[in-house]
Structures are given as C-alpha cells and as structure tokens.
Amino acid sequence: MSDMTDDMTKKVFLDVCAGIEKLCADLYHHYSTIYQDIPEAASLWKKTALEEENHQKQFELALRLWDETEFDVLNDSLKQAYTIQYKLMTFMNNIKSSKPDLLTAVSKAIEMEKKLAALHVNTALKFKEASMQDMFKALSEADNGHMADLQRYQSILSLPHCEMEG
C-alpha cells in the first residue's frame, strides 16, 4: 500500500472512530432523556454519554495532531469500524421510534461497548508521542469502566423483585 493510501486509511479510521463515539454519546443522551423518570438510570446514561463525548474529542485531537499520531491500523480495523458505525446508525433509527425496556437498553449498550472495546484493542494504536499513547490507553480503560458500570446496573435490574410483607 502506498504511503498516501496508508495515511488516508488512518485518517478515515480516526474520523470513523470519532463518529462512532458521537453516535454512542447521542444514544446515551437519548436514553438519559427517555429514562428521566428513573434517576439512577438517567444519571448513568448521562455520565456515560459525557464519557463518550470525551472519547470523540480524543479521536478528533489525534486527527488535529496528525504529525504526532504515527500508528498502525490493522487490515480489518477500518472495515470493522465501518460495520460498527453502520449497525449503530441502524440501531439509533430503530430506537427513536420505540422505547426499549430499561434492561434491554442496558444489555444492548453492554453488547455495543464490548464491540467497541474489541475494536480499540484490535487496532493497537501505537503513537510516536508518549502523551498521545497514554491518552488512548486511558480511553480504553474508560471503556472498561463504563462497561463495568453498565454491567453492575444490569445485574441490579436483573434481581428478582421482592414483595414486602407487612
């Protein structure tokens, strides 16, 4: 592959990843609105949406600091990113017309976060600049953090409801 084609692939990859993070943030903001009557759910969705917006800004920063972003994109990573982006756009269109129950929303979010984590891990961005490398390492750790938050909430939602005897 020529250097120019390789550079374009890398730039497109970062751009698609930024777009994916924006779609995730939009989804979580939507959930925080439609579940506003459940304060703990709305708060979790809002927190996660803001984290996704931060991730989007990190990818956009990597694009702006292109000279410092020497990294490799594995052959299937761009294709995988496009697939995730397409599925997310389709999913967003579906949920705009019907409100999923809260457990389904949390479960689907966890499934999506696992795919995003796999994309980030499989890409293995290696930056020339140490601070950029550290920033993307933190992004991966944050993904794991909000996935853990969602899984914890999923467990709570899955607990059987007990009737109080009185």
Side-chain angles (χ1 to χ4, degrees):
M1 185 182 312
S2 75
D3 284 348
M4 194 166 93
T5 304
D6 194 39
D7 280 353
M8 263 325 278
T9 299
K10 291 175 186 179
K11 285 182 179 181
V12 168
F13 178 78
L14 289 174
D15 191 51
V16 170
C17 286
I20 288 170
E21 299 294 344
K22 181 183 182 340
L23 286 168
C24 291
D26 291 348
L27 173 66
Y28 295 149
H29 279 303
H30 177 70
Y31 281 166
S32 76
T33 301
I34 65 174
Y35 297 110
Q36 65 188 358
D37 56 327
I38 308 168
E40 65 275 10
S43 176
L44 175 62
W45 292 125
K46 186 63 142 179
K47 174 185 174 285
T48 309
L50 295 174
E51 289 171 358
E52 297 294 353
E53 286 176 353
N54 187 41
H55 297 172
Q56 176 189 354
K57 289 176 181 148
Q58 288 175 310
F59 280 108
E60 290 168 347
L61 179 63
L63 274 168
R64 283 196 303 278
L65 299 175
W66 182 250
D67 293 339
E68 302 300 322
T69 54
E70 186 175 298
F71 64 95
D72 296 321
V73 174
L74 301 176
N75 290 338
D76 286 345
S77 294
L78 183 57
K79 182 180 174 193
Q80 187 181 4
Y82 273 130
T83 300
I84 290 170
Q85 184 182 45
Y86 175 77
K87 287 180 179 178
L88 256 174
M89 290 188 306
T90 303
F91 182 66
M92 284 291 288
N93 287 335
N94 291 340
I95 64 148
K96 295 284 183 177
S97 59
S98 66
K99 176 182 173 180
D101 68 86
L102 185 54
L103 182 57
T104 300
V106 172
S107 299
K108 289 289 187 187
I110 291 167
E111 191 180 303
M112 179 181 70
E113 289 294 337
K114 285 179 180 174
K115 288 182 175 138
L116 291 175
L119 177 65
H120 294 157
V121 167
N122 291 339
T123 305
L125 299 174
K126 290 182 184 70
F127 294 96
K128 186 164 62 172
E129 173 64 38
S131 63
M132 289 293 287
Q133 187 67 43
D134 291 344
M135 184 175 73
F136 276 84
K137 185 175 184 240
L139 181 144
S140 184
E141 289 166 3
D143 278 345
N144 292 335
H146 59 246
M147 192 168 20
D149 291 344
L150 290 165
Q151 287 171 325
R152 207 171 6 266
Y153 194 58
Q154 180 186 41
S155 296
I156 292 167
L157 291 173
S158 299
L159 291 173
H161 293 284
C162 298
E163 296 292 324
M164 297 292 287
E165 291 185 32

